C-alpha cells in the first residue's frame, strides 16, 4: 500500500446522531480509497468515537469518508483510524 498523500485539516466526525468538530491527519493514496490517520479532539469525543468503531468523517473540502477506529488511549486527545473501502 503506497500512501503518497497527506492531508491535515479540520472536519466533522459523525456517528449515532452525534456530530463533533475534530482535527484530522490522513495519509492516503491519491483517491483517498486506502489510508490511515488520526483524529484530534476532546478526550471524551475521542473515547466515544473509538467505542463506536465505524463512523463518517466529513473532510474540510466537503466530501465524506467512512473510517474504522483502531486505537485510542483513555484520556488522550488522539484516536487512530483506517479508511474503510
Amino acid at each position: 500500500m503506497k500512501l503518497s498523500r497527506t492531508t491535515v485539516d479540520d472536519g466533522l466526525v459523525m456517528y449515532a446522531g452525534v456530530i463533533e468538530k475534530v482535527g484530522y491527519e490522513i495519509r492516503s493514496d491519491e483517491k483517498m480509497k486506502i489510508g490511515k490517520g488520526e483524529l484530534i479532539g476532546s478526550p471524551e469525543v475521542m473515547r466515544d468515537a473509538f467505542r463506536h468503531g465505524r463512523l463518517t468523517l466529513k473532510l474540510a473540502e466537503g466530501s465524506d469518508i467512512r473510517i474504522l477506529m483502531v486505537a485510542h488511549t483513555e484520556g488522550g486527545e488522539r484516536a487512530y483510524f483506517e479508511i474503510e473501502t
Side-chain angles (χ1 to χ4, degrees):
M1 166 173 42
K2 184 173 188 233
L3 305 180
S4 59
R5 174 181 173 178
T6 299
T7 306
V8 179
D9 216 324
D10 291 325
L12 298 172
V13 68
M14 300 177 286
Y15 57 93
V18 174
I19 300 174
E20 292 284 347
K21 185 175 180 180
V22 295
Y24 63 84
E25 180 173 343
I26 303 171
R27 290 164 302 285
S28 68
D29 66 341
E30 287 302 318
K31 295 181 181 182
M32 207 164 291
K33 299 288 183 193
I34 299 170
K36 57 187 174 179
E38 59 188 79
L39 298 179
I40 301 110
S42 73
E44 296 80 20
V45 171
M46 296 300 97
R47 179 192 63 231
D48 292 346
F50 176 71
R51 288 180 179 170
H52 190 73
R54 287 185 162 82
L55 33 114
T56 300
L57 176 60
K58 180 172 278 303
L59 304 177
E61 66 193 35
S63 62
D64 293 348
I65 60 171
R66 295 287 300 161
I67 60 175
L68 174 64
M69 304 305 294
V70 295
H72 174 255
T73 300
E74 184 64 33
E77 296 179 343
R78 295 178 183 267
Y80 301 89
F81 65 85
E82 293 181 355
I83 295 175
E84 277 199 314
T85 54

